[in-house]
Amino acid sequence: MNKALQLHYGSQFEQALLEEINQVATFMEVPEGQDLIRPGQFIKSMPLLLSGSIKIMRPDADGEELLLYHLEKGDTCAMTMTCCMGNTKSEIHAVTETPTKLLMIPIGKMEEWSRKYKTWRNFVFASYHARMMEMLESIDNIAFNNMDERLENYLNNKIELLNSKHIYTTHKEIAADLHTSRVVISRLLKKMEKDLKIKLHRSFIEVL
């Protein structure tokens, strides 16, 4: 665990903080599609990602969900930190999008480290800012872009996250992330294929 900490967080945190994280953190290796946080839960620890991708979604009153942002290695979740520090129930749903390795930090350490380590305070503030900008981008996407533009942005983000132009997902999963119907997504994907932007395969989408 110490080697992974040095690799992904060594440039951000001083050695004393890295040693404390190594002492108190719990290492987790989580498969794809696993719930990490459910709405209504009290959050007892904060994640630091070592590898993989997690998608953070916001459910509505009918149980439908809207994708807010993704977390990748070196990231943590601002919404999780807010719930931890306020001792409030989660209002998000966090699911592993790929096999993920992460460290879970006890919430009791967050305030202590904020007082003790400037690098931790800077990391927390930078994380809040990054997640806020991603949420604003999501809001702008919904408010100002047509669904075909949103779908193209979604696929391009997937390419960056997965580092591959082969996206293994279903039309239903895309529709859920974009808060629309499977029929709409299927129609738009067919149009993109006709425009030679993608190629549809049985189990994946190839972006051209």
Side-chain angles (χ1 to χ4, degrees), residues 59-173:
D60 65 16
D62 298 322
E64 301 292 331
E65 294 183 318
L66 177 67
L67 178 65
L68 296 178
Y69 53 81
H70 289 89
L71 300 177
E72 299 178 84
K73 64 182 178 182
D75 287 342
T76 190
C77 179
M79 303 287 282
T80 302
M81 289 191 290
T82 301
C83 292
C84 285
M85 298 186 76
N87 195 29
T88 58
K89 292 182 180 180
S90 169
E91 296 184 3
I92 60 166
H93 183 198
V95 181
T96 51
E97 189 165 33
T98 65
T100 301
K101 295 178 181 179
L102 65 159
L103 300 174
M104 301 303 291
I105 308 295
I107 60 173
K109 288 294 179 180
M110 292 182 58
E111 188 172 347
E112 175 188 334
W113 289 347
S114 292
R115 293 193 305 267
K116 192 174 179 181
Y117 298 110
K118 182 179 179 181
T119 56
W120 180 260
R121 290 197 303 275
N122 291 342
F123 173 69
V124 169
F125 290 142
S127 297
Y128 273 119
H129 177 73
R131 302 293 85 78
M132 179 62 70
M133 295 307 295
E134 288 173 347
M135 282 196 289
L136 288 175
E137 184 179 346
S138 294
I139 293 169
D140 287 346
N141 210 10
I142 295 168
F144 304 120
N145 292 342
N146 296 324
M147 185 55 71
D148 54 350
E149 294 174 310
R150 291 178 60 196
L151 179 57
E152 285 195 42
N153 289 338
Y154 176 89
L155 294 176
N156 288 332
N157 287 336
K158 283 280 192 180
I159 291 172
E160 292 184 16
L161 283 168
L162 304 174
N163 195 29
S164 171
K165 291 193 173 184
H166 290 183
I167 302 171
Y168 290 85
T169 188
T170 66
H171 296 191
K172 183 179 179 180
E173 289 171 339

